[in-house]
Amino acid sequence: MNRRARPLLAVVVPCYNEEDVLPETIRRIRQQLDRLIDRGGIAPESYMLFVDDGSKDNTWPIIAAYHERDASVRGLKLACNVGHQHALLSGLLHAKEDADCAISIDADLQDDVEAFGEFVEAYREGNDIVYGVRAARREDTWFKRESALFFYRLMRTMGTPVIPNHADYRLMSAKALAQLACYRESNLFLRGLIPQLGLRSSIVTYDRRARFAGESKYPLRKMISFAWNGITSLSVAPIRLVMGAGFAVFAFALAAGAYALYAYGRGATVPGWTSMMLTAWLLGGVQLISLGIVGEYVGKVYKETKRRPPYFIEESAATPAEDRLRQRPTAAAHPEERAAAEALQ
């Protein structure tokens, strides 16, 4: 049977302190999976995989309780909070072992789960990556809408291949997941990394909704940090901007020097403290900014060279994964998966 005709779908949901919204999230995703199964769009073995990113509330007990009643609800509990991107990656790498395709979605229900059918249809048409793009952001504040648009414009200007108004709501085929598993980056920015896989892709648009319950996990401080990490992880444009600024300052210095010599020849110079101090401050500021940006990249190189595992799984509510690890402890597996396989053997 053509696996694209009725694929086994995994829905990967990273969670951090989502006890208020989680039961409704499970209900809605379960409802959509049932509809697709009834229509023959996906395999009956399709499932949800919730990744608890070191939550401090009852997120994991809720996942475990639902797993006891419904085998299609699976879960991974990370040993500590590693951040949204690494939590999502852990779920995708776990799902790639048995799923034909995986949809990633946040737990807050702002992304429309009713778009699942369009995602699967695009996958069946031969697309390995299907991006969920927000057609409208009416529920966002004016500041958040404008700052998001500025973020996407800035990323594209910096040479980072991102899809405008796309977050992490997407479908990836098994082929795309296998290629993603080849990356071993500590500074992870999936929105810019996945378009670089170069696989056939399409877009599904949807309306962004208000958060069902709970509080946003991305305040302004984290949004700025996330944007900065994305730029410095995937683009060398900031370094080139520093080089351009250096050339501009050098050209200005030459022009100022020529003018100073001309003024000296005419005897019109007056020793001044102001011009000297302004020049010193200007060059000092450029140097400090340059050192800061270069230091950011040096810090990222430092993190990459240590080759630390991106995450550890403390507990699992997805029993079938243990059997897969026993059967497939290949050399090409992810370091975390190899360690788990050796532990099980």
Side-chain angles (χ1 to χ4, degrees), residues 82-310:
V82 296
H84 178 273
Q85 296 290 279
H86 282 106
L88 177 56
L89 178 66
S90 69
L92 293 174
L93 293 184
H94 195 87
K96 79 179 179 66
E97 295 300 324
D98 62 357
D100 298 315
C101 57
I103 292 177
S104 58
I105 186 172
D106 289 341
D108 57 17
L109 294 176
Q110 289 190 280
D111 297 323
D112 188 6
V113 298
E114 294 182 4
F116 282 8
E118 297 180 64
F119 277 79
V120 174
E121 185 60 32
Y123 165 78
R124 294 171 67 178
E125 292 173 355
N127 294 287
D128 288 297
I129 304 173
V130 184
Y131 299 102
V133 174
R134 298 161 180 171
R137 307 177 67 119
R138 288 185 292 268
E139 298 298 334
D140 290 343
T141 63
W142 175 88
F143 176 78
K144 189 165 186 178
R145 283 197 302 270
E146 294 302 316
S147 61
L149 291 175
F150 173 76
F151 164 73
Y152 291 117
R153 286 195 294 264
L154 178 63
M155 293 293 287
R156 294 176 75 86
T157 301
M158 291 290 182
T160 302
V162 295
I163 308 297
N165 287 316
H166 164 71
D168 287 300
Y169 187 25
R170 69 179 73 87
L171 178 146
M172 299 181 68
S173 68
K175 180 179 180 180
L177 292 173
Q179 291 187 195
L180 178 63
C182 295
Y183 287 85
R184 295 288 185 267
E185 300 190 11
S186 297
N187 302 286
L188 196 62
F189 187 71
L190 292 175
R191 299 183 196 183
L193 197 62
I194 290 175
Q196 296 186 28
L197 298 179
L199 297 174
R200 179 178 172 181
S201 64
S202 66
I203 288 175
V204 168
T205 59
Y206 67 96
D207 290 337
R208 181 175 170 85
R209 300 179 176 181
R211 184 181 177 89
F212 179 80
E215 298 179 352
S216 172
K217 306 304 183 297
Y218 266 89
L220 179 61
R221 176 181 58 82
K222 284 192 175 182
M223 288 176 61
I224 294 175
S225 176
F226 183 68
W228 178 246
N229 182 63
I231 292 171
T232 56
S233 295
L234 296 170
S235 174
V236 295
I239 292 181
R240 293 174 179 171
L241 287 176
V242 170
M243 184 181 295
F247 280 114
V249 171
F250 180 70
F252 176 79
L254 289 178
Y259 175 78
L261 289 175
Y262 172 75
Y264 178 77
R266 294 186 59 187
T269 57
V270 176
W273 177 85
T274 303
S275 59
M276 181 181 67
M277 291 303 295
L278 287 175
T279 303
W281 279 107
L282 175 64
L283 293 179
V286 170
Q287 290 173 348
L288 288 175
I289 293 173
S290 302
L291 287 174
I293 294 178
V294 173
E296 179 73 20
Y297 282 90
V298 171
K300 290 184 181 298
V301 172
Y302 169 68
K303 290 182 179 180
E304 295 290 349
T305 56
K306 288 189 291 188
R307 310 303 297 169
R308 291 178 177 175

